Amino acid sequence: MAAPATEIEAAQPEVPAQGRTGRAGGVRARVRAELTAEIKEAARCQLAEVGAADLSLRAVARELGMVSSAVYRYFASRDELLTALIIDAYNALGAEAESADAGVARADLEGRFRAVGRAIRRWGLAHPYEYALIYGSPVPGYVAPDDTIAAASRTSLVLTGILADGHASALGAPGAELPEALRTELERLGTQLGGDVPPPLLARGLTVWMGMFGAVSFELFGQLHNVVDERDALFEFELDRWIGLLELR
Amino acid sequence: MAAPATEIEAAQPEVPAQGRTGRAGGVRARVRAELTAEIKEAARCQLAEVGAADLSLRAVARELGMVSSAVYRYFASRDELLTALIIDAYNALGAEAESADAGVARADLEGRFRAVGRAIRRWGLAHPYEYALIYGSPVPGYVAPDDTIAAASRTSLVLTGILADGHASALGAPGAELPEALRTELERLGTQLGGDVPPPLLARGLTVWMGMFGAVSFELFGQLHNVVDERDALFEFELDRWIGLLELR
DNA sequence: CAAGTTTCGAGAGCAGTGCTCTTGACTTCT
DNA sequence: AGAAGTCAAGAGCACTGCTCTCGAAACTTG
């Protein structure tokens, strides 16, 4: 409590970093990996409490019983730490979507879509600050490095996978009043995604994609406050509509 | 350049606050109102440069040639300044939507909707940080005071106004597979909005509402990066879809 | 095994932040 | 004219991100 001016902390000697003898690909590297993970974990914990804007490098250092400058051996800056958290968040959401998709019979397209949609919303509600980190307003000077895009596309890939299976199995893409510029771009995007989704169907996918995250964001960011309380019912209703639009029924 | 440690600044004597003699409803009150506006203006300016998270009270004070503590005479905290900016942003967007709506013949529902949608997107693109302030992730500890809801609903009122006019003029609300809980709530919401919009139509309005801001947010927050470049075409395409869903054609 | 190199944690320090409190000058009301 | 209220300024506190240096470990090489 006393002793100001300098950084002190009752060290919690959990994993003292030298109780472990050598061997196995370098002790240093292993300890480093562990500490990196611990820092991220503590940061994630603090993120859930105070949000990204107030995430303090010094505070996570304090919680780990180390001094703030030591953290800079693992993350060159606060932004770099945040980037790591962003990638982790994308991966966590992506994994959630993937496992939800895998839990339903491949032929049950409607069931798969519904499961994935619910999983996305559920994850967002359970990790609001991590969701805000990836789908909220980007932090000011920050530009997402390309490392994030791979992690970011996992969730989208699950969604387009369902679309591709739907198109392959039978029904698919009727209407074709797609403006030329959009059409060619969606064609490129379709092949780039590897999937077999024709532009008109992919366009509907975009609508659903934006609508779905729009709905989750509205709920999480307080835009439905004093507007709709029956959020579960609303989302299920929206799910039905998206399923109808994608002709997954 | 020299002289550290204390807050100094070459005072820009614009509006010296005592070059004006008495009269007219209190000089003090007028000067106070002007200075309040100037602070907000400077803050808005800084907001556009560095974003909300890095908005510094000291910096806006510096820009106005005053000392930071003086600003606290006008805004009790940084959050209070931000709240003022949020309300202003809601009002700016609402005014934009209203004037767009007013610029089209009342009977031309599709034209009105299209104009309002474009106005919303245009305003967002022109004021990304202000848009992020109101439709992005909320700042951590912050809870929107009820002052904001009036300003926030202006835009929604324009949209529901179009819906109400559409319902009154003729066509409207067919499908009725609305779950009971949602139905009753939308009924309440409908009357609360004063408009004459039956629940099924209002439900579609919600879908469009969330979809529209979802689309604008995705574009502004970088989610379409490396996905869709033809943003204009995409938004117009979405507009068509929403118009179809609302049967405004 | 010993010498040299790299990596690490600690500490001090800088510039910046939000916010508080006090002080003295000024305006406004009685 | 005196009392009451309002204001900008300054000093200061606790905090932040980040840099730099230093000594002690951990590795690598001879």
Side-chain angles (χ1 to χ4, degrees):
Chain A
M1 267 28 163
T6 174
E7 294 190 56
I8 39 85
E9 204 74 14
Q12 46 180 44
E14 179 190 4
V15 188
Q18 58 238 63
R20 202 182 292 97
T21 50
R23 200 195 55 91
V27 180
R28 197 110 100 184
R30 281 223 343 229
V31 172
R32 182 177 181 83
E34 279 177 26
L35 243 182
T36 305
E38 273 181 59
I39 292 175
K40 282 202 293 184
E41 183 52 40
R44 206 167 1 245
C45 176
Q46 199 194 329
L47 181 71
E49 289 171 3
V50 300
D54 282 5
L55 193 153
S56 155
L57 245 165
R58 290 183 117 113
V60 326
R62 211 149 35 212
E63 189 170 350
L64 264 54
M66 60 200 317
V67 90
S68 73
S69 60
V71 177
Y72 283 85
R73 299 261 175 217
Y74 299 86
F75 296 94
S77 69
R78 201 189 94 114
D79 270 12
E80 200 173 280
L81 213 195
L82 271 179
T83 299
L85 293 185
I86 287 175
I87 294 179
D88 284 3
Y90 272 125
N91 277 319
L93 177 59
E96 209 77 20
E98 285 166 7
S99 89
D101 181 51
V104 180
R106 305 290 291 166
D108 181 9
L109 299 176
E110 176 183 345
R112 285 167 64 189
F113 179 83
R114 207 172 230 112
V116 171
R118 286 176 183 149
I120 290 174
R121 173 167 178 259
R122 196 181 328 115
W123 186 88
L125 289 174
H127 308 87
Y129 282 112
E130 288 177 79
Y131 180 92
L133 208 54
I134 56 183
Y135 286 105
S137 27
V139 297
Y142 181 81
V143 281
D146 288 348
D147 312 23
T148 63
I149 68 167
S153 35
R154 281 178 67 176
T155 305
S156 322
L157 277 179
V158 174
L159 260 1
T160 53
I162 299 177
L163 257 48
D165 289 358
H167 174 246
S169 72
L171 61 175
E177 341 81 345
L178 221 40
E180 189 52 27
L182 240 190
R183 233 203 91 85
T184 63
E185 178 157 47
L186 291 190
E187 209 141 331
R188 173 188 63 73
L189 184 63
T191 63
Q192 177 181 313
L193 283 171
D196 191 14
V197 185
L201 182 55
L202 196 53
R204 295 175 185 215
L206 275 179
T207 301
V208 170
W209 183 50
M210 299 193 289
M212 188 152 91
F213 282 98
V216 174
S217 295
F218 255 41
E219 179 175 359
L220 277 172
F221 298 164
Q223 227 71 35
L224 295 185
H225 186 62
N226 283 336
V227 178
V228 175
D229 287 333
E230 297 286 339
R231 278 89 193 261
D232 289 351
L234 178 63
F235 192 77
E236 290 298 320
F237 185 72
E238 295 284 284
L239 271 178
D240 282 340
R241 216 198 278 294
W242 296 324
I243 287 168
L245 179 61
L246 297 176
E247 294 172 18
L248 254 36
R249 187 93 48 189
Chain B
M1 266 35 159
T6 173
E7 294 189 54
I8 37 85
E9 204 76 14
Q12 46 181 44
E14 177 188 7
V15 187
Q18 56 237 63
R20 204 180 288 98
T21 50
R23 201 195 53 94
V27 179
R28 195 107 103 188
R30 280 222 348 228
V31 173
R32 181 176 182 85
E34 278 177 26
L35 242 181
T36 305
E38 272 180 59
I39 292 174
K40 283 203 291 185
E41 184 52 42
R44 206 169 359 249
C45 176
Q46 198 194 328
L47 181 71
E49 289 171 3
V50 300
D54 282 3
L55 192 153
S56 156
L57 246 164
R58 288 183 120 111
V60 328
R62 211 149 35 215
E63 190 170 347
L64 264 54
M66 61 198 320
V67 90
S68 72
S69 59
V71 178
Y72 284 85
R73 298 258 170 215
Y74 300 86
F75 296 94
S77 67
R78 186 178 165 263
D79 269 14
E80 200 172 280
L81 214 194
L82 271 178
T83 298
L85 293 185
I86 287 175
I87 293 179
D88 283 3
Y90 272 125
N91 277 320
L93 177 59
E96 209 77 21
E98 285 165 7
S99 89
D101 181 51
V104 180
R106 304 293 290 167
D108 181 7
L109 300 176
E110 175 182 347
R112 285 168 62 190
F113 179 84
R114 207 170 232 115
V116 172
R118 286 175 183 151
I120 290 174
R121 173 167 178 259
R122 195 181 328 115
W123 186 87
L125 290 174
H127 308 88
Y129 282 111
E130 287 178 80
Y131 180 93
L133 207 56
I134 56 183
Y135 287 103
S137 28
V139 298
Y142 181 82
V143 282
D146 289 348
D147 311 21
T148 62
I149 68 167
S153 34
R154 281 177 68 175
T155 305
S156 323
L157 276 179
V158 173
L159 260 1
T160 53
I162 298 177
L163 257 48
D165 288 358
H167 175 246
S169 73
L171 61 173
E177 341 83 345
L178 221 40
E180 189 53 27
L182 239 192
R183 232 202 93 84
T184 63
E185 179 158 46
L186 291 189
E187 209 139 333
R188 174 188 62 73
L189 183 64
T191 64
Q192 178 181 312
L193 283 170
D196 191 15
V197 185
L201 182 56
L202 195 53
R204 297 177 183 212
L206 275 179
T207 301
V208 170
W209 184 50
M210 298 193 290
M212 188 152 91
F213 283 97
V216 174
S217 295
F218 256 41
E219 178 174 0
L220 275 173
F221 298 165
Q223 227 71 36
L224 294 185
H225 186 62
N226 282 338
V227 178
V228 176
D229 286 332
E230 297 285 340
R231 279 91 193 259
D232 289 351
L234 178 63
F235 192 77
E236 291 297 320
F237 184 71
E238 295 283 285
L239 271 178
D240 282 339
R241 217 198 276 296
W242 297 324
I243 287 168
L245 179 62
L246 297 176
E247 295 173 14
L248 254 34
R249 186 92 48 190

